[in-house]
């Protein structure tokens, strides 16, 4: 699989040099840093890998739009997402940076996700934006969550 053609018109992308090996298929959809390595938090992530290059090759990064992501655990559609470790995305909670919402499992070849749970280490589809991730504070007042932007 190459480039970002599978979601043409639905995402904004850029390229950088991969500092790590992304050649295995389970590297697709993992969050990355500006240095081309796996991201460990929503604060350092700049997007998700849209191709599977070896180290030193061109890495296509999707940073805004309908994008695939690699799930760390079972996720339900509509869940708020953050980057948790090694580029995996999981449920956003207090004290994390919210980067988008999960829409459902795989189905990215036709863009429309299947609205079922996303299994662990599987590809999900989400509406993601790494331009300005929202920080979810550690506490919320009066039954609502205050969302702050960086």
């Amino acid at each position: 699989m190459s480039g970002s053609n599978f979601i043409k018109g639905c995402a904004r992308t850029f390229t950088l040099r991969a500092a790590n090996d992304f050649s295995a298929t389970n590297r697709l959809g993992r969050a990355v840093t500006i240095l081309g390595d796996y991201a460990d938090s929503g604060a350092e992530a700049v997007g998700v890998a849209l191709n599977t290059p070896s180290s030193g090759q061109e890495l296509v990064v999707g940073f805004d739009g309908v994008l695939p992501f690699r799930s760390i655990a079972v996720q339900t559609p509509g869940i708020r997402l953050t980057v948790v470790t090694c580029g995996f995305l999981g449920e956003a909670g207090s004290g994390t940076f919210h980067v988008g919402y999960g829409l459902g499992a795989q189905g990215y070849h036709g863009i429309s996700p299947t609205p079922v749970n996303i299994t662990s280490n599987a590809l999900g589809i989400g509406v993601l934006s790494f331009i300005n991730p929202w920080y979810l504070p550690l506490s919320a007042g009066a039954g609502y969550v205050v969302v702050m932007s960086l």
Side-chain angles (χ1 to χ4, degrees), residues 4 7-13 50 61-68 128:
S4 60
I7 52 172
K8 190 172 184 179
C10 293
R12 295 195 294 174
T13 65
L50 295 181
V61 179
F63 66 93
D64 186 49
V66 178
L67 297 163
L128 306 177

Side-chain angles (χ1 to χ4, degrees), residues 1-8 22-29 49-54 57-60 68 70 107-111 123 125:
M1 170 165 238
S2 65
S4 60
N5 293 334
F6 66 94
I7 52 172
K8 190 172 184 179
F22 286 83
S23 62
T25 57
N26 71 347
R27 305 303 196 262
L28 183 71
L50 295 181
N51 65 338
T52 53
S54 296
Q57 294 180 328
E58 186 177 272
L59 174 64
V60 179
R70 188 66 58 179
Y108 61 86
H109 292 292
I111 298 177
L123 269 182
I125 296 297

Side-chain angles (χ1 to χ4, degrees), residues 80 93-96 98 134-149:
R80 289 186 302 191
S94 296
T96 64
H98 170 221
W134 295 357
Y135 180 73
L136 301 177
L138 294 175
S139 63
Y144 61 90
V145 175
V146 178
V147 179
M148 299 167 45
S149 184

Side-chain angles (χ1 to χ4, degrees), residues 6-136:
F6 66 94
I7 52 172
K8 190 172 184 179
C10 293
R12 295 195 294 174
T13 65
F14 67 95
T15 60
L16 50 83
R17 291 273 166 240
N20 209 320
D21 184 11
F22 286 83
S23 62
T25 57
N26 71 347
R27 305 303 196 262
L28 183 71
R30 289 216 197 166
V32 299
T33 68
I34 196 67
L35 300 176
D37 208 346
Y38 301 114
D40 287 321
S41 74
E44 70 178 11
V46 296
V48 293
L50 295 181
N51 65 338
T52 53
S54 296
S55 180
Q57 294 180 328
E58 186 177 272
L59 174 64
V60 179
V61 179
F63 66 93
D64 186 49
V66 178
L67 297 163
F69 68 90
R70 188 66 58 179
S71 180
I72 188 121
V74 174
Q75 309 291 338
T76 57
I79 195 166
R80 289 186 302 191
L81 296 169
T82 190
V83 179
V84 290
T85 187
C86 285
F88 287 98
L89 273 67
E91 184 174 3
S94 296
T96 64
F97 286 86
H98 170 221
V99 297
Y101 293 91
L103 295 177
Q106 293 192 1
Y108 61 86
H109 292 292
I111 298 177
S112 54
T114 306
V116 297
N117 288 350
I118 305 151
T119 59
S120 181
N121 196 29
L123 269 182
I125 296 297
V127 178
L128 306 177
S129 181
F130 293 85
I131 297 171
N132 196 9
W134 295 357
Y135 180 73
L136 301 177

